[in-house]
Amino acid sequence: MIRSRCHRKDIIAARTHLAHKFGEPALSPQVHLFIRNHAPATPTRCISTSEPVRKRYFPPPEPFHSKSSSFSPPPSSFSTFGASPDLLSHYLALEPAPLTLRQLLAQGGQPGVAPSPEQLLRSAQHTQRELPIRLARRVGGFRALPFIVGSNPFVSKIARLYASSFDTIAKFKPIETQEDNRHFTEVLEELVSAHSQNVPTLARGFQESRKYMDPRDVAAFLDATIHSRIAIRLIAEQHLALSHGGDSHHLSGRIENREEESHRQQDRDGEALEKFHVYSSPTSVGIIETQLSPARMTKMCANFVKDLCEGTLGLAPALVLEGDVQATYAGIPVHLEYVMTELLKNSYRATTEQYFRKSKNEGGGSYGRDGKGIPPVIVTIAQSSKHISLRIRDQGGGISPQNLPHIFSYAFTTAGSEDSDYPDLESQAEVDGGGPYAMQAVGGTGGDALAEMGKMGLASGLGTLAGLGYGLPMSRIYATASGGGSSLDIVSLYGHGCDTFVKLPKSIVTSDTII
């Protein structure tokens, strides 16, 4: 080991030499005084550069503001994903106004009655005021991500989309006339359509970045993002529905939302089922349906899932609907549709795969590939004075004890992904049967983003039957968004099947849950 002697003169001389070499100003008298007062008077032993130095890891620079840091760098267009830094700082300082579904319902007037021009202007002004605040908070959430996660192309794509939408709404001129509102709704329609594939795209991004964030932090971020997304979409789509009034096909044609809406199918008798996706009916107030029928919604979702299951696996069980099939409640159709589609996907796939396993093990018999003997999926509907309850019962083999604690975790799936967060559980699930939650999907009928992920799940031309494991956690968020004691719970009878229970408030008028 080589060592040298260092004292005050050495320090001053070395610093002066470097200053001249790199064109920097010489040491000031104050610096000389500081060195004399603090450097040791006697020579000290200093390690030479010839000594081997232990390598150290230095993390990449962090352009996003971290809540744990007391230092807040001034925002730039880089760290705000393209949003105006000053405008973003202004809106981040504002609090969103508390808003409940009851207020949103009252904002639209009476069911089946077109809102007055004054009501439309108030709705437009409220939407223009609230959306930038909520969008700004989403941009702020993305800025708080670790740099390497925020730099992921899928994550940054959604972050830039939120930033662009924020800029567009925040810079829109004040709405004072019906003509202003017409232009505003055109812009709003385009933004709603642009955000339709946010969740599948984020799913891909976080799957690629999962090594760089704690799963609990990922779950907290996604929970906040999805809750915020629900509120933003409700505010935006409620105003769009009120603005278009009876011209519902105009709006539903413009918004191609494959994630939460638009399983526009026809049943085998040719009866159009698209009516559940229009924004206006004699009993609706905007996107809120005051006489929503769980039975009819279940039939519609089952028709779609049956075609999807047959196209993917070759067979599908039948649906048995029982209980109080005439029951109705006040709710949001697209939320119920999303939840029922995801739960039926789980049950249909699990039942079909369990049927194939028994057919193989028993060498045919009552279990053949012709579909004879495949047990149905049973949906039971019940109502009380305050709640509507649904039970989805299947004979898909149930959930293994190893998998049960993870079924509501993001990205938990056993649908053929080779690089899973739970490889041991997945391999065991293949042996044990896996249960219906081997097929959790991102949701809906697929789309461009999901097409890119086809290798990660079971897919057909109609959409995705199994995917990245966001189906159940998102279903629980949508099911409980209305508050009022709503819930989504699963009971597994391992080796036989599952019962999934959904409880919804009978009237959102009584709900004080803040969006």
Side-chain angles (χ1 to χ4, degrees):
M1 183 182 298
I2 301 174
R3 297 185 182 275
S4 62
R5 301 288 179 176
C6 300
H7 50 82
R8 294 173 183 165
K9 294 181 180 180
D10 295 327
I11 296 174
I12 296 174
R15 181 62 185 87
T16 304
H17 170 73
L18 290 174
H20 286 299
K21 182 177 180 180
F22 293 103
E24 297 178 1
L27 294 178
S28 65
Q30 291 82 359
V31 174
H32 278 281
L33 180 62
F34 177 84
I35 294 175
R36 290 192 181 94
N37 292 337
H38 292 82
T42 58
T44 58
R45 306 184 71 182
C46 301
I47 299 176
S48 168
T49 54
S50 302
E51 180 180 357
V53 180
R54 180 183 176 185
K55 291 184 178 180
R56 297 182 61 189
Y57 169 74
F58 294 94
E62 174 62 78
F64 307 123
H65 172 56
S66 174
K67 294 181 179 179
S68 61
S69 173
S70 59
F71 172 68
S72 179
S76 67
S77 59
F78 172 74
S79 65
T80 61
F81 299 97
S84 171
D86 293 337
L87 202 59
L88 183 65
S89 298
H90 169 73
Y91 277 97
L92 283 174
L94 303 178
E95 292 286 337
L99 180 67
T100 65
L101 291 176
R102 178 168 56 182
Q103 292 172 307
L104 208 60
L105 183 64
Q107 181 178 310
Q110 297 299 316
V113 178
S116 65
E118 292 76 15
Q119 285 177 316
L120 278 181
L121 282 180
R122 284 198 298 269
S123 175
Q125 291 161 358
H126 172 266
T127 304
Q128 186 185 27
R129 181 174 60 253
E130 281 297 304
L131 288 187
I133 300 175
R134 297 173 185 267
L135 289 170
R137 288 172 174 256
R138 284 302 87 228
V139 177
F142 281 100
R143 292 182 68 216
L145 289 173
F147 176 69
I148 195 168
V149 178
S151 300
N152 178 275
F154 295 100
V155 176
S156 62
K157 176 182 178 181
I158 301 304
R160 290 194 301 269
L161 186 57
Y162 272 109
S164 174
S165 300
F166 162 75
D167 257 12
T168 300
I169 300 295
K171 293 178 180 178
F172 197 90
K173 68 176 183 178
I175 301 173
E176 298 176 349
T177 66
Q178 295 299 321
E179 184 65 16
D180 292 339
N181 181 50
R182 187 180 69 82
H183 289 302
F184 181 66
T185 55
E186 290 176 354
V187 171
L188 204 55
E189 284 178 25
E190 296 298 328
L191 295 182
V192 170
S193 179
H195 284 265
S196 64
Q197 291 297 319
N198 279 11
V199 174
T201 307
L202 277 179
R204 179 69 179 271
F206 277 100
Q207 187 183 55
E208 292 183 352
S209 307
R210 63 184 181 273
K211 295 179 180 179
Y212 308 111
M213 279 187 74
D214 186 281
R216 292 170 295 183
D217 294 334
V218 173
F221 176 84
L222 290 172
D223 279 344
T225 299
I226 294 171
H227 276 103
S228 176
R229 171 181 170 80
I230 291 174
I232 290 170
R233 290 183 67 87
L234 282 178
I235 294 171
E237 293 188 3
Q238 177 71 348
H239 176 65
L240 290 175
L242 295 176
S243 296
H244 287 288
D247 189 14
S248 55
H249 292 280
H250 166 77
L251 182 59
S252 58
R254 292 288 300 276
I255 302 176
E256 298 177 356
N257 184 351
R258 296 183 181 88
E259 175 199 347
E260 301 161 2
E261 321 167 24
S262 303
H263 304 315
R264 294 181 175 91
Q265 304 289 326
Q266 290 187 339
D267 63 12
R268 298 189 184 277
D269 297 328
E271 177 186 359
L273 296 172
E274 190 175 356
K275 65 182 70 177
F276 283 96
H277 300 278
V278 300
Y279 285 87
S280 178
S281 77
T283 56
S284 71
V285 179
I287 60 171
I288 301 173
E289 175 59 57
T290 61
Q291 298 293 323
L292 180 56
S293 169
R296 298 191 68 184
M297 181 64 76
T298 299
K299 288 180 182 178
M300 184 198 72
C301 296
N303 284 336
F304 167 75
V305 174
K306 183 178 181 181
D307 290 342
L308 181 58
C309 191
E310 288 177 344
T312 304
L313 300 176
L315 286 178
L319 173 73
V320 173
L321 196 60
E322 62 182 22
D324 195 348
V325 296
Q326 302 301 321
T328 61
Y329 74 105
I332 301 171
V334 293
H335 289 185
L336 179 61
E337 178 189 358
Y338 182 87
V339 172
M340 292 306 296
T341 299
E342 291 307 311
L343 297 181
L344 289 173
K345 279 183 182 181
N346 289 350
S347 292
Y348 270 61
R349 181 189 172 218
T351 301
T352 304
E353 291 186 341
Q354 179 78 344
Y355 171 80
F356 285 148
R357 282 190 291 269
K358 287 188 175 182
S359 177
K360 180 179 179 180
N361 295 336
E362 298 184 11
S366 60
Y367 297 93
R369 294 197 66 88
D370 58 0
K372 293 181 180 179
I374 186 170
V377 173
I378 303 172
V379 177
T380 307
I381 301 173
Q383 67 173 326
S384 65
S385 60
K386 294 184 178 181
H387 295 97
I388 292 281
S389 298
L390 297 94
R391 180 188 66 191
I392 299 96
R393 171 169 289 179
D394 65 63
Q395 296 181 39
I399 310 170
S400 67
Q402 299 102 317
N403 289 354
L404 191 58
H406 306 288
I407 59 175
F408 288 105
S409 300
Y410 290 104
F412 173 68
T413 175
T414 58
S417 176
E418 297 179 355
D419 187 17
S420 170
D421 290 333
Y422 306 95
D424 296 336
L425 299 184
E426 290 187 10
S427 60
Q428 184 65 31
E430 292 298 323
V431 176
D432 293 340
Y437 307 99
M439 56 73 61
Q440 296 179 53
V442 171
T445 62
D448 295 338
L450 286 179
E452 299 174 4
M453 295 183 274
K455 63 180 181 180
M456 299 181 184
L458 301 177
S460 75
L462 288 171
T464 301
L465 183 62
L468 297 177
Y470 280 49
L472 270 181
M474 283 189 61
S475 293
R476 173 174 272 185
I477 290 176
Y478 277 99
T480 58
S482 301
S486 53
S487 62
L488 192 159
D489 298 297
I490 295 173
V491 177
S492 171
L493 186 60
Y494 185 49
H496 179 74
C498 279
D499 283 1
T500 305
F501 297 90
V502 180
K503 185 168 72 170
L504 304 166
K506 195 169 184 180
S507 177
I508 60 175
V509 175
T510 61
S511 174
D512 291 323
T513 301
I514 297 176
I515 299 176

